[in-house]
Amino acid sequence: MEKRHVGFDLIVYGSEGELTPEDLSLLQKAREVRDGAYAPYSGFKVGAALLLESGEFVVGSNQENASFPSGLCAERVAVFQAGARFPDTPIKSIAITASGRVAKLSIPAAPCGNCRQSMLEYETRQGRPIRILMQGEAGVIYECPSVASLLPLGFDGSFLT
Ligand code: THU
């Protein structure tokens, strides 16, 4: 028997002031798109902004539906859009931010399991890590080095060969 460590070092920024100008502007884009999210049922608005290697930005917000399972999370709206519009351009970073219906969200909004799985597909495909930044409406910002770090022992296409 052996024990293997599968964790990662989470970087925690105390506030936006500690971010690079590039990360701050990505987070700002995520906030802008979050405010236009279509979330009439949950009231929970999420915005995601991607920075591509080309310098291009792609954004997404959650899109809900009266038939609940038909809606989609912000992260998948963004990465699917990037996949459709810029299929050959790697994604460098994604910033994710969320706001609640009532109380001001002061803890970072971590992507759900389905979004982690979807983002892993793009990371695996491009062969380079996608950095993830997350924040609530205010407060600390988390940085994760890759999607794989958020989905240890993940399932990818290599199992299907
Ligand atoms: N949501 C996201 O957009 N991203 C996530 O990673 C978690 C949840 C959305 C889906 C739904 O519209 C609302 O937040 C409440 O779950």
Side-chain angles (χ1 to χ4, degrees):
M1 193 276 266
E2 64 173 307
K3 280 189 185 174
R4 294 184 190 174
H5 179 70
V6 292
F8 72 98
D9 287 332
L10 179 72
I11 296 175
V12 182
Y13 299 97
S15 71
E16 296 91 340
E18 296 177 18
L19 297 178
T20 63
E22 186 178 91
D23 284 346
L24 185 57
S25 107
L26 193 62
L27 186 62
Q28 192 52 42
K29 286 189 165 48
R31 287 177 183 155
E32 283 162 20
V33 70
R34 176 196 73 202
D35 293 338
Y38 180 61
Y41 304 106
S42 72
F44 190 77
K45 293 186 170 187
V46 185
L50 307 179
L51 172 62
L52 309 187
E53 291 282 359
S54 59
E56 204 93 36
F57 295 99
V58 176
V59 297
S61 59
N62 52 329
Q63 301 296 315
E64 298 188 347
N65 193 281
S67 173
F68 287 2
S70 299
L72 200 60
C73 293
E75 296 88 328
R76 276 176 285 166
V77 170
V79 291
F80 293 164
Q81 190 189 162
R85 293 178 57 206
F86 306 102
D88 302 318
T89 311
I91 301 165
K92 269 175 79 173
S93 306
I94 177 168
I96 304 162
T97 173
S99 62
R101 192 193 291 277
V102 192
K104 190 164 181 168
L105 199 66
S106 58
I107 49 166
C112 76
N114 279 315
C115 288
R116 294 179 198 203
Q117 182 67 36
S118 294
M119 292 191 289
L120 183 67
E121 187 76 25
Y122 292 85
E123 183 171 273
T124 307
R125 178 183 178 191
Q126 69 184 35
R128 290 184 230 176
I130 301 173
R131 283 169 68 242
I132 305 176
L133 294 165
M134 40 180 123
Q135 191 188 34
E137 278 175 274
V140 298
I141 297 136
Y142 288 171
E143 178 187 326
C144 306
S146 63
V147 179
S149 66
L150 280 184
L151 198 58
L153 306 181
F155 179 81
D156 62 30
S158 64
F159 289 97
L160 303 177
T161 54

